[in-house]
Amino acid sequence: MAEKEDIKFMRRCLELASKAEGFTYPNPMVGSVIVYNDKILGEGYHLRSGESHAEVNAINSVSDKAKLEESTLYVNLEPCSHFGKTPPCADFIILHKIPRVVIGTIDTSDNVSGNGVKRLRDAGCEVKTGTIDEECRRLNRRFFTFHEKRRPYITLKWAQSADGYLDIIRSGDHKKEPTWITGKPERVLVHKWRASEQAILVGAGTMRADDPRLNVREWKGSDPLKLILSSSGFLNILSFANSKSGKVTVFTHNSKTDIPGAVKVLLDENVSSSVQISGYLYASGIQSLFIEGGAEVLNHFISTGLWDEARIFTGDAFFKGGVKAPLINGTLFSKTVFSGSSLEIYLKNGS
């Protein structure tokens, strides 16, 4: 089959897999397509952890199982080869005598790491790997970062004025509500992003100034675990913690302060806070961290090099002063224009 056909069907796998974004943790997002005589015979994707994997759903969607013996199965991630919450997908493929399997990228986690491909080839299956590998890894960047770098995938997000300020308020000023830079469509998009991440972090200053709910009220999905970085630990989160916001974790250097309604994590002053937070999240099995501010927290993670992606909205208004937005050095991945702002996504060089 021509390479362009393999690419076409692999992109369909990615479309299917992305339908479950935010719902599969700690598992990756996987889609699978079965092709017979150049036409899709069956397809499926992994909906959530503990349920059937994509390959099983795709195979089970085929009514005439005899055609499987003359078909090609496409999947964006190497089929698993171990018993977890479900049996190995590689064995299920072998059981149905599918002769050819096209894999987008290898699963580098310790449980698989090439063993799925080996099992298929040992059973006589023709296996092709590396079809649009970069796109397949991009989809599961959180999963790969967690297993390969032993930390969560870290995304920074902020909105800045046309002249590069996060907020028009100067030091010492007081306000009753946030200064909005973006419009409704952008805010809905941010809630969609939150639903895709496992944890969200803000600084104490942002909590005091904006009292953000940090939830996904504008989108369907689960609220991320809420994290606050407060060196002093002096903050009142009772109204926040008692709402439907969910569990709150506060990272602080102050061993003496009591923070009702929160899990307190004491930080070592001799070790970078970003390193300790990343280590804590990795030990807790958290694969992704979404950082929404403020400037001090964003700049801290940028300065320590602990970030993978930055999503920056730039509005049309000029503030002519205020809280300066962070500066970032990365590779522009995409740009989207809204009615009152533009969105640029940067990837950290070398990530």
Side-chain angles (χ1 to χ4, degrees), residues 11 34 47 140 187 203 210 224 254 265 308 318:
R11 290 220 166 99
I34 297 171
L47 278 74
N140 280 308
R187 293 199 286 274
D210 299 338
N254 190 344
V265 178
D308 298 285
F318 288 81

Side-chain angles (χ1 to χ4, degrees), residues 145 151-156 274 278 287-291 301 306-310:
T145 298
R151 65 166 176 82
Y153 186 90
I154 300 173
T155 301
L156 313 177
S274 61
S278 296
Q287 294 184 6
S288 66
L289 173 61
F290 195 59
I291 302 178
F301 276 79
L306 270 175
W307 68 279
D308 298 285
E309 182 173 333

Side-chain angles (χ1 to χ4, degrees), residues 245-263:
S245 301
K247 187 178 179 181
V248 182
T249 300
V250 176
F251 295 91
T252 182
H253 293 105
N254 190 344
S255 62
K256 297 180 181 179
T257 185
D258 183 34
I259 310 173
V263 174

Side-chain angles (χ1 to χ4, degrees), residues 197-274:
E197 311 298 343
Q198 285 188 285
I200 185 169
L201 173 70
V202 296
T206 297
M207 286 299 302
R208 296 187 189 102
D210 299 338
D211 192 25
R213 283 181 276 177
L214 305 178
N215 59 22
V216 296
R217 59 194 178 277
E218 301 283 357
W219 197 261
K220 182 181 179 181
S222 300
D223 291 341
L225 174 68
K226 292 155 188 67
L227 315 175
I228 303 171
L229 176 57
S230 172
S231 184
S232 69
F234 296 133
L235 69 166
N236 182 3
I237 64 165
L238 277 179
S239 60
F240 183 72
N242 291 336
S243 70
K244 295 181 180 179
S245 301
K247 187 178 179 181
V248 182
T249 300
V250 176
F251 295 91
T252 182
H253 293 105
N254 190 344
S255 62
K256 297 180 181 179
T257 185
D258 183 34
I259 310 173
V263 174
K264 186 175 80 171
V265 178
L266 188 62
L267 298 176
D268 184 343
E269 292 186 357
N270 298 313
V271 181
S272 167
S273 296
S274 61

Side-chain angles (χ1 to χ4, degrees), residues 155-156 158 307-312 328 344-347:
T155 301
L156 313 177
W158 69 85
W307 68 279
D308 298 285
E309 182 173 333
R311 302 175 183 177
I312 308 168
I328 201 144
E344 292 182 327
I345 297 180
Y346 290 87
L347 303 182

Side-chain angles (χ1 to χ4, degrees), residues 158-173:
W158 69 85
Q160 62 188 27
S161 64
D163 51 351
Y165 292 93
L166 295 178
D167 202 324
I168 200 169
I169 303 301
R170 280 75 164 178
S171 178
D173 288 346

